[in-house]
Each structure stands twice: as C-alpha cells, then as structure tokens.
C-alpha cells in the first residue's frame, strides 16, 4: 500500500564516495548524547527537518545511523551510489519506502529487512512531528559471501536472491530483545576510535548473525509452550544480562527456572533466534571488554570474576571474539 503524503525532498546519502565529516563543534549541544565518538558525523538543520547521520567504514561493510526529526512533511530521498545489500532496522516510527522500480514497502518500527538496493534515488515520505532512528549495515553481496568463511552463522543470508530492487527476505525480521541489546550497546559506545572499532564491528556481526538465524528458522512456527513460557524465557534473558560473569550450565539454568535443559534451550532459541550459550558468551565478552577499557580492575581480577582459569585463557577468547588484530586494519 502506498502513501499520498508529499513534502520537501531531503537527500539522504546511504553511502558517500568521498566522506567529508563535520566537526563535533558544528553539531548543536542538544545532540551531544547521540554522538558516537568513533563515527564520522554529518548534521543538517533547516525549517523542515533535522538530520544527524553517523558512519563507520569497517572495510567489508559500512555502518550508518540516521536520527531524523521532521518538523514539516518531508520526503527522504536515500541515494545509493552503487549497488549494495543493506540490513535496515527502523525504530520509533513506521514509514513507507517508495521506489520507481518496486512496490511500496512498509518499514515497520522494530523490524529489520535485508534490502537489495541498486544505485539510484529512492523515496520515503515522513510526516511532520515524526522522529525516527534508522540503522543500516551496507555490504556487497559477494563480500557477504566471503565473510561466511570467518562467520559461518551468516550463511543463511547469502542464500537469499532477488534480481529486482526490494526486500530479499520473504517476511520482516523481528528486532527481538537480543537485537535491542546490541543496538543499545552500539548507540551508547563512547570509546575512542581504536577501542570502539573492534567493539562495534563485533556488534554488527552479532546483529547480522541474529538476523541470519531468524532467516534459517523462518519456517519453524512458534510453539504453544514457547508462547505460554514467554515471561520466564524473558526472565532468563534478563538474568544473563545482569549476571554475564556467571558460567552457568544449561542444567543449572533449567533447575533455576524449573524446567528441563532441553525445553529451556528450545524455547530460548524460539524467542531470540540464537542459543543460550551464544548469548551468554556475547554478554560475557562485552562485560570483559568494558571492564578492560575502564582500567579500574586488574586483569587477574577480571579473569577471576568472569570465571576463567587464568588471564591468558581469558585474553585469547576476547581477542578471538573481537578479532582485535583484524579489526584494527579497518580503522
């Protein structure tokens, strides 16, 4: 279904061949809390809209974050200089994507889509008074395929195929609480460039992996028991978030939440796409990385808190998870 809304056209660059970031001093103070220090930023303000765009080029893919406030009716005109695939997530409002070469597509709040976007201009009408947060991970199809060797969890996305412009996925992906957790960590990262790149790079990978897991499990219906146990499954997720230093076994968690390990594991994956072990590892690695950057706790103490046998074992896992040496080459 399309829309008849019209307004002033606002060019929105999804990629830039020649970056020309603005200085932080050129961005009004009221937007300071939104600034990611490691990202390059652009800011535009006029009578119709305020647009803050932030970008990090990681090499194999780029991250774009757009905060857009419409004071009047506007039409966002995303421009893509060359053909890309783009994982797109929208927060705070829903919008319609319009393209001369594809049907109108509803961009629903808190949903993700993987778009095949040819070079050119697209249209997204936005009503006065709306505010959106738009997150994009842009990658070339062949590059995504090459990334599977290092990150096998991405394979399901590489099997998607569509020649014409539009969503590659048959159904939108859900921004489940783990996706929300990752986005929250991304937006709140205040580390310097050198420290932020491995951290945000891995967040993007984990977000792509969660979406790929949703694609792989697309034809598995949400079982009745999973629906009935939604509250306890969310309690388990919150427990892991609040206790990332604990290395509980699935058997121990099953005992704590009064269910069998098999049932607990199945229902967690039904709700959040990835396994309990996968999310426990993500939460633990993030906690350790954050504590390392704070530099308030000795490495030996961090290893003890996070239940590693020694510092060397902990550091090897952190380095492997964040691919620190490789990520540094993308700065």
């Amino acid at each position: 279904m399309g829309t008849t809304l019209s307004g002033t056209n606002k060019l929105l660059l999804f990629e830039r061949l020649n970056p020309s970031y603005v200085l932080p001093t050129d961005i009004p103070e009221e937007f300071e809390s939104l600034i990611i220090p490691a990202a390059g930023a652009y800011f535009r303000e006029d009578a119709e809209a305020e647009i803050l765009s932030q970008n990090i080029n990681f090499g194999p893919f780029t991250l774009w974050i757009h905060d857009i406030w419409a004071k009047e009716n506007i039409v966002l005109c995303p421009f893509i200089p060359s053909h890309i695939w783009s994982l797109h997530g929208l927060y705070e409002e829903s919008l319609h994507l319009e393209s001369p070469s594809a049907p109108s597509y509803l961009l629903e709040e808190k949903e993700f889509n993987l778009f095949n976007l040819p070079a050119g201009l697209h249209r997204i009408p936005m009503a006065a008074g709306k505010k959106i947060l738009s997150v994009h991970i842009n990658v070339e199809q062949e590059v995504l395929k090459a990334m599977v060797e290092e990150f096998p969890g991405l394979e399901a996305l590489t099997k998607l195929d569509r020649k014409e412009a539009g969503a590659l996925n048959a159904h939108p992906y859900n921004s489940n609480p783990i996706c929300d957790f990752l986005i929250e960590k991304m937006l709140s990262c205040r580390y310097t460039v050198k420290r932020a790149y491995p951290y945000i790079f891995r967040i993007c990978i984990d977000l792509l992996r969660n979406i790929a897991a949703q694609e792989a499990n697309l034809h598995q219906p949400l079982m009745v028991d999973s629906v009935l146990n939604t509250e306890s499954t969310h309690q388990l997720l919150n427990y892991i978030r609040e206790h990332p230093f604990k290395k509980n076994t699935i058997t121990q968690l099953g005992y704590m939440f009064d269910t069998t390990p098999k049932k607990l594991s199945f229902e967690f994956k039904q709700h959040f796409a990835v396994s309990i072990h996968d999310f426990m590892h993500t939460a633990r690695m993030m906690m350790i990385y954050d504590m390392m950057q704070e530099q308030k706790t000795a490495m030996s103490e961090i290893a003890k808190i996070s239940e590693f046998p020694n510092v060397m074992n902990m550091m090897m896992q952190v380095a492997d998870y964040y691919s620190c040496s490789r990520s540094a080459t993308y700065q």
Side-chain angles (χ1 to χ4, degrees):
M1 183 176 67
T3 175
T4 58
L5 181 69
S6 61
T8 305
N9 290 337
K10 297 292 179 183
L11 186 65
L12 187 67
L13 299 179
F14 271 27
E15 287 293 342
R16 289 184 182 238
L17 299 177
N18 298 300
S20 54
Y21 302 127
V22 303
L23 296 172
T25 51
D26 294 331
I27 301 173
E29 286 186 14
E30 56 264 35
F31 301 101
E32 185 177 350
S33 63
L34 302 176
I35 298 298
I36 300 173
Y42 302 94
F43 182 77
R44 290 157 46 200
E45 179 180 16
D46 55 34
E48 292 90 23
E50 296 172 340
I51 302 175
L52 172 65
S53 297
Q54 300 186 77
N55 165 238
I56 301 178
N57 185 345
F58 286 110
F61 59 84
T62 61
L63 170 68
W64 285 85
I65 300 167
H66 302 285
D67 284 279
I68 303 171
W69 296 261
K71 302 175 185 177
E72 304 290 341
N73 289 348
I74 60 174
V75 178
L76 297 171
C77 297
F79 175 71
I80 293 92
S82 60
H83 178 240
I84 57 170
W85 280 15
S86 181
L87 178 68
H88 173 247
L90 191 66
Y91 293 86
E92 302 181 50
E93 287 284 356
S94 300
L95 299 173
H96 275 93
L97 170 65
E98 296 181 353
S99 171
S101 58
S104 174
Y105 193 89
L106 176 62
L107 303 172
E108 191 73 56
E109 179 189 4
K110 286 201 68 175
E111 286 186 348
F112 281 89
N113 291 278
L114 182 61
F115 285 107
N116 177 36
L117 296 176
L121 203 63
H122 305 264
R123 292 171 50 86
I124 306 176
M126 185 172 173
K130 283 193 173 185
K131 155 71 172 72
I132 62 165
L133 168 65
S134 182
V135 179
H136 308 259
I137 298 175
N138 298 337
V139 62
E140 294 179 5
Q141 182 180 4
E142 293 306 313
V143 173
L144 183 62
K145 289 180 178 179
M147 289 170 62
V148 171
E149 182 176 351
E150 186 171 2
F151 304 105
L154 303 180
E155 186 174 9
L157 296 181
T158 67
K159 296 183 182 300
L160 297 172
D161 191 27
R162 180 189 176 112
K163 302 303 180 187
E164 62 273 17
L168 291 151
N169 43 286
H171 304 283
Y173 306 113
N174 175 35
S175 182
N176 60 47
I178 289 182
C179 294
D180 293 344
F181 170 74
L182 294 170
I183 292 293
E184 175 188 320
K185 288 289 189 178
M186 175 193 294
L187 298 178
S188 62
C189 180
R190 296 296 178 264
Y191 299 140
T192 58
V193 171
K194 187 175 181 180
R195 295 177 177 181
Y197 267 49
Y199 191 75
I200 300 178
F201 176 91
R202 183 66 209 203
I203 289 174
C204 290
I205 293 295
D206 285 337
L207 186 59
L208 284 164
R209 288 173 66 245
N210 193 288
I211 298 303
Q214 291 189 47
E215 176 63 33
N217 299 327
L218 185 63
H219 300 296
Q220 186 179 74
L222 189 63
M223 305 301 286
V224 174
D225 279 357
S226 295
V227 175
L228 293 175
N229 293 321
T230 295
E231 184 177 351
S232 62
T233 309
H234 280 254
Q235 287 174 354
L236 170 58
L237 177 78
N238 291 333
Y239 172 81
I240 296 171
R241 284 190 58 171
E242 293 165 10
H243 303 84
F245 47 87
K246 285 192 169 292
K247 284 190 175 181
N248 293 114
T249 66
I250 304 300
T251 300
Q252 289 171 331
L253 291 172
Y255 179 78
M256 291 169 59
F257 287 88
D258 193 27
T259 186
T260 66
K262 184 176 180 179
K263 189 171 172 27
L264 192 72
S265 298
F266 178 77
E267 291 174 355
F268 189 93
K269 198 164 186 177
Q270 281 245 296
H271 281 283
F272 309 125
V274 299
S275 71
I276 295 174
H277 279 304
D278 188 278
F279 183 60
M280 287 175 67
H281 190 58
T282 294
R284 184 177 293 108
M285 291 296 103
M286 280 188 165
M287 179 203 73
I288 294 170
Y289 197 91
D290 287 337
M291 292 183 73
M292 287 169 57
Q293 306 316 311
E294 290 171 3
Q295 298 182 341
K296 295 179 180 179
T297 309
M299 298 296 282
S300 57
E301 189 63 24
I302 297 175
K304 183 179 178 181
I305 290 169
S306 51
E307 301 184 14
F308 278 93
N310 52 61
V311 172
M312 180 64 70
N313 183 275
M314 179 184 75
M315 291 305 298
M316 287 177 63
Q317 289 201 36
V318 171
D320 179 66
Y321 186 77
Y322 285 106
S323 302
C324 296
S325 59
R326 177 179 45 71
S327 295
T329 66
Y330 300 150
Q331 296 179 26

